[in-house]
Amino acid sequence: MSERINETCQLQLRFVNEIVDGREMLVSRTLSGVKLTATDDNLVQAASALAMLQTKTLKHVNRIDRAELIEA
């Protein structure tokens, strides 16, 4: 049995930068230092609030977790 030790959490926002030949070109903004205890709902709410401050359209919200796996 292994154990997971969470190390870091990041919030990535992906915005539509422009549309070229019918394809959306995306730009990413990644915020680090997110609390490990933050729920997915908390992150979606934060992303929505940040998106309202932007001129570009929010396309995706990603949670990026990094953890160490150790044998217990």
Side-chain angles (χ1 to χ4, degrees):
M1 184 92 161
S2 61
E3 184 179 336
R4 176 185 171 131
I5 300 174
N6 290 334
E7 293 179 350
T8 62
C9 180
Q10 295 178 320
L11 175 63
Q12 182 183 61
L13 307 174
R14 302 200 65 203
F15 297 95
V16 177
N17 191 38
E18 62 182 327
I19 299 177
V20 177
D21 296 330
R23 296 185 61 190
E24 294 176 336
M25 299 294 138
L26 303 178
V27 61
S28 298
R29 298 291 178 251
T30 303
L31 305 168
S32 59
V34 175
K35 288 186 178 183
L36 297 174
T37 57
T39 65
D40 293 343
D41 288 335
N42 294 145
L43 296 181
V44 168
Q45 288 175 354
S48 295
L50 291 168
M52 288 192 302
L53 301 172
Q54 306 297 312
T55 57
K56 297 178 183 349
T57 304
L58 181 64
K59 183 73 173 181
H60 301 285
V61 177
N62 297 319
R63 177 184 186 134
I64 303 168
D65 289 320
R66 183 174 154 200
E68 180 181 0
L69 301 176
I70 58 172
E71 226 175 289

